[in-house]
Amino acid sequence: KLKIATVTNHLQLSKVSKSVTKEILKQKTEIIINSLVNDFLVKKPKVAVLALNPHAGDSGLIGNEEVDILNPYVNNYNHERSVLVGPFSSDAFFGSQNYKNFDAIIGMYHDQSLIPFKLLSFGSGVNYTAGLKTVRVSPDHGVAYDIAGKNIADESSLEAAIKMGIEIFLNRQKIKIWFQINYSFLYLQSQLKIYVMAHPKRKISKTRRNKRRTHYKADSQVIAICPTTGVSHIYHRAYTFEGKLY
């Protein structure tokens, strides 16, 4: 499924280039990555970044935003749980269907993102606001007052929005339960470690201890004969004979 976001939203085109900064790119990227992981359960998201200028600026011939901002940001992006690729020229990116190779796409302005999105999914797409504590979804079209009361409206996008809202809510519950289970396990583990550490570690292993010769016991008493008196007695034990101790 195509997931696409915008760096700037309802903003005049004349103001877009000044609004595309490394700070706003970082902010939007973090929101999208967190949403993919927590709301859509994507383990390691792969995200594409679209260029601002035609042909991705053509090495500065058609604009410097790619050279000065987008390329350095993407090249320096380093995160263990996600991959960022780009910037891509929008026409070739969608024309070659390269968008199918990514979990999400970041566009620079409204029409750059929404035109391909609505061409590919109009009537079944969903408008979703990422980064909120509350799940917020809506159909991919406006209120359509021009067809109100004519009984020709298509409810497909509304149904898709409701289904996605439920899906995101349930996914967040799964993440919440997973964290609760893991935190509980870590807490119990830490408590067990405290109890174990209260007892000193054995300096000698049980195996070495059991090999001591003192643990070998004779099955029956050993009898010896005294060379002096000729009396039988237990070996290495004192005895008396005719009132004397031997």
Side-chain angles (χ1 to χ4, degrees), residues 5-49:
T6 59
V7 173
T8 61
N9 197 8
H10 296 146
L11 186 67
Q12 299 173 21
L13 280 176
S14 59
K15 298 181 180 179
V16 169
S17 61
K18 293 182 179 180
S19 301
V20 177
T21 62
K22 292 180 181 180
E23 290 74 20
I24 193 67
L25 284 170
K26 181 180 179 181
Q27 178 186 352
K28 297 289 184 177
T29 303
E30 289 179 353
I31 292 174
I32 293 167
I33 297 298
N34 288 332
S35 180
L36 289 170
V37 172
N38 298 322
D39 297 339
F40 299 97
L41 305 184
V42 180
K43 292 184 178 180
K44 189 173 183 178
K46 185 179 180 183
V47 180
V49 177

Side-chain angles (χ1 to χ4, degrees), residues 22 51 85 133 204 226 243:
K22 292 180 181 180
V85 187
K133 293 183 179 180
I204 300 176
C226 180

